[in-house]
Amino acid sequence: MTRHKGTALLYLSQSFASQLFFWMVFTVNLLYYVQVVEMNALQLVLVGTVLEITVLICEIPTGLIADYKGRKFSIVLGYSLIGLGFFIEGLFPTFTTILIAQVIWGIGYTCISGALQAWITDEVGLNKVDKVFINSTKYENVGNLFGILLGIVIGYISVQVSILIGAIGFLFLALYLWRNMTETRVINEKKKDSLSFIENIKSMLSSVFSSFKANIILRYVLLIACIVGIYSEGFDRLWISHIADIIEGTLSEKHMIFVVGGVQFVTSIFTIIVFQFLNRMSEKIQFKSLYKGLRLSYFILILALICFAFSTNLIGLICFFIIIQVIREVTSTFENIWFNQLITDSSKRATFFSVKGQVDAIGQIGGGPVAGLISQYTSIKIGLAASALLLSPVLFIYQKLLKTRD
């Protein structure tokens, strides 16, 4: 029990620290792209597309490595690469070097994607991990608050310095986890067999894909991940430019950091409040109730996305942005809990999550350029509205899920 609590606390501490450093970067990086590097709408989306292509290529290989070599190894390597990528991004403010940085930190992201969920599930047990995931979202959002505040303060002086400090933070986080993480799971139980590394990997991958083929619910999870990826890339890359267009002339570029950071700060506070309430619901999650809740959440999300796209005043934009981001946190967390419960073979858990991440990347690669091109040749608000419409098929999927048996 004590060991489980210590492991959960380590997981929650990395949730806090990783989001602290992420948001020191993310609070300012789009402003960095727009104001310092002077990217246009299409370039902004292309940066995201390069990142998602990297995720697409590396997600499954790094997931297999995490299951075969060890989750601790994969997580430490991942945070090291994320730190290196952000350091290059902050040090060299050119479009080309930023594309290179996306490749490096994208590989790092795929190393931790799935490996973190698989590690904590094996360490504390499937019956206890749901509450850890929900608490993790709260810790992440507290990290967001501090990261946003630091990003605003440091970014007001220099957006580059904020990115560089966040990058160095990730390198220290990797060192901290290397020294303190334990992994009690038997790493690669198949090592005692005569199978080669390649044969083990092939066997593991074949087993995972067979599971998806045999289980229609798992296939629905992948389809939802793809649709979410299709809509999300356009929104994530264009929302700041949309706000900048609406308030153009009323604020200087220097003061945009307060708007961008402030709205993200308030969003994190609301998210913490919402998850404090949802934490009470984590003991026993019934799939039918989960499907109904997620379907309603996505319906509200689509409406909020459309309203955000066509709002013409700052207050309206901020309100709809908060609704959008809080709902995204809710849907992401509970879909991960749902997916985790569907995985029956713990030894391949990281690979399952990597397949899901790869499908999400495919969606982002397809949807991002579409939103970028629409925005480039019409307007950003039309591009954002198109992203909202691309999300709508997810409502029909949850309707079909309600007709399936648990």
Side-chain angles (χ1 to χ4, degrees):
M1 179 66 72
T2 302
R3 182 183 67 80
H4 286 170
K5 285 184 177 180
T7 304
L9 185 59
L10 179 69
Y11 180 80
L12 295 175
S13 68
Q14 73 77 32
S15 297
F16 169 84
S18 63
Q19 292 306 300
L20 170 68
F21 301 134
F22 264 124
W23 281 97
M24 287 188 70
V25 176
F26 292 159
T27 299
V28 300
N29 74 334
L30 285 178
L31 289 174
Y32 178 59
Y33 296 162
V34 173
Q35 296 177 358
V36 179
V37 189
E38 298 181 344
M39 295 185 192
N40 59 38
L42 185 56
Q43 286 176 318
L44 288 170
V45 172
L46 286 176
V47 167
T49 302
V50 168
L51 175 64
E52 295 308 325
I53 289 173
T54 303
V55 173
L56 173 65
I57 294 171
C58 299
E59 223 5 314
I60 290 180
T62 53
L64 289 166
I65 289 170
D67 281 333
Y68 187 88
K69 184 72 176 176
R71 281 77 185 263
K72 176 180 176 178
F73 171 82
S74 186
I75 291 164
V76 171
L77 175 62
Y79 280 131
S80 300
L81 290 173
I82 290 171
L84 177 61
F86 286 146
F87 193 80
I88 291 171
E89 179 174 308
L91 201 59
F92 304 105
T94 68
F95 180 61
T96 302
T97 52
I98 286 171
L99 291 181
I100 294 170
Q102 304 311 298
V103 174
I104 296 171
W105 91 258
I107 295 171
Y109 169 79
T110 63
C111 288
I112 63 172
S113 171
L116 276 169
Q117 295 94 328
W119 172 72
I120 191 61
T121 300
D122 285 338
E123 295 299 309
V124 305
L126 188 60
N127 60 327
K128 297 178 182 177
V129 78
D130 292 356
K131 181 161 281 190
V132 176
F133 282 147
I134 291 174
N135 283 330
S136 173
T137 301
K138 291 192 291 184
Y139 273 73
E140 286 173 357
N141 278 278
V142 174
N144 293 354
L145 293 177
F146 285 97
I148 290 164
L149 284 175
L150 288 171
I152 292 172
V153 173
I154 300 170
Y156 184 73
I157 301 168
S158 170
V159 291
Q160 281 180 271
V161 171
S162 184
I163 293 171
L164 290 171
I165 293 175
I168 293 169
F170 274 111
L171 297 175
F172 277 106
L173 177 59
L175 179 62
Y176 166 75
L177 293 174
W178 175 66
R179 291 176 63 88
N180 293 284
M181 274 184 80
T182 58
E183 189 166 15
T184 56
R185 181 186 73 96
V186 177
I187 300 171
N188 187 26
E189 294 173 350
K190 291 185 179 180
K191 280 185 177 178
K192 61 187 178 182
D193 297 337
S194 60
L195 292 174
S196 69
F197 171 79
I198 297 298
E199 288 172 327
N200 271 322
I201 293 297
K202 284 182 178 178
S203 174
M204 193 180 297
L205 195 57
S206 175
S207 175
V208 169
F209 281 121
S210 294
S211 297
F212 280 108
K213 186 176 180 180
N215 190 330
I216 190 171
I217 305 297
L218 285 172
R219 296 201 298 275
Y220 278 137
V221 171
L222 294 187
L223 187 55
I224 291 167
C226 183
I227 294 169
V228 169
I230 288 171
Y231 101 87
S232 65
E233 183 66 10
F235 177 80
D236 287 338
R237 296 294 164 176
L238 297 175
W239 73 268
I240 285 182
S241 295
H242 181 51
I243 290 178
D245 285 348
I246 296 298
I247 64 175
E248 186 177 8
T250 60
L251 286 176
S252 67
E253 288 189 348
K254 196 73 173 175
H255 288 91
M256 267 294 291
I257 185 71
F258 294 108
V259 175
V260 173
V263 71
Q264 292 170 331
F265 184 86
V266 173
T267 298
S268 292
I269 292 174
F270 274 97
T271 304
I272 292 168
I273 294 170
V274 168
F275 274 88
Q276 187 63 36
F277 169 75
L278 292 176
N279 194 36
R280 303 169 191 168
M281 303 166 53
S282 65
E283 296 295 336
K284 290 184 178 180
I285 299 175
Q286 301 296 324
F287 282 169
K288 293 295 184 184
S289 299
L290 184 65
Y291 300 154
K292 290 178 182 178
L294 287 169
R295 183 183 60 175
L296 177 61
S297 296
Y298 276 115
F299 178 74
I300 297 170
L301 177 57
I302 291 167
L303 291 180
L305 284 164
I306 294 171
C307 292
F308 178 83
F310 292 104
S311 291
T312 56
N313 65 83
L314 184 58
I315 300 300
L317 286 171
I318 290 173
C319 290
F320 289 120
F321 179 84
I322 291 170
I323 293 170
I324 290 165
Q325 295 297 74
V326 171
I327 292 177
R328 289 178 73 182
E329 288 276 13
V330 170
T331 56
S332 175
T333 299
F334 279 91
E335 282 175 345
N336 275 337
I337 289 171
W338 170 39
F339 185 52
N340 202 40
Q341 291 179 351
L342 293 173
I343 300 169
T344 56
D345 187 347
S346 182
S347 68
K348 302 177 181 67
R349 196 176 301 276
T351 305
F352 273 96
F353 272 98
S354 290
V355 172
K356 179 173 176 284
Q358 187 176 49
V359 172
D360 177 87
I362 291 171
Q364 294 195 43
I365 291 167
V370 171
L373 286 169
I374 291 173
S375 300
Q376 188 75 8
Y377 292 104
T378 56
S379 66
I380 288 177
K381 66 174 62 178
I382 299 300
L384 288 167
S387 294
L389 293 177
L390 290 171
L391 178 60
S392 58
V394 81
L395 300 176
F396 299 100
I397 295 173
Y398 276 109
Q399 184 62 37
K400 288 185 71 68
L401 281 165
L402 283 168
K403 297 177 181 178
T404 62
R405 291 181 295 176
D406 282 352

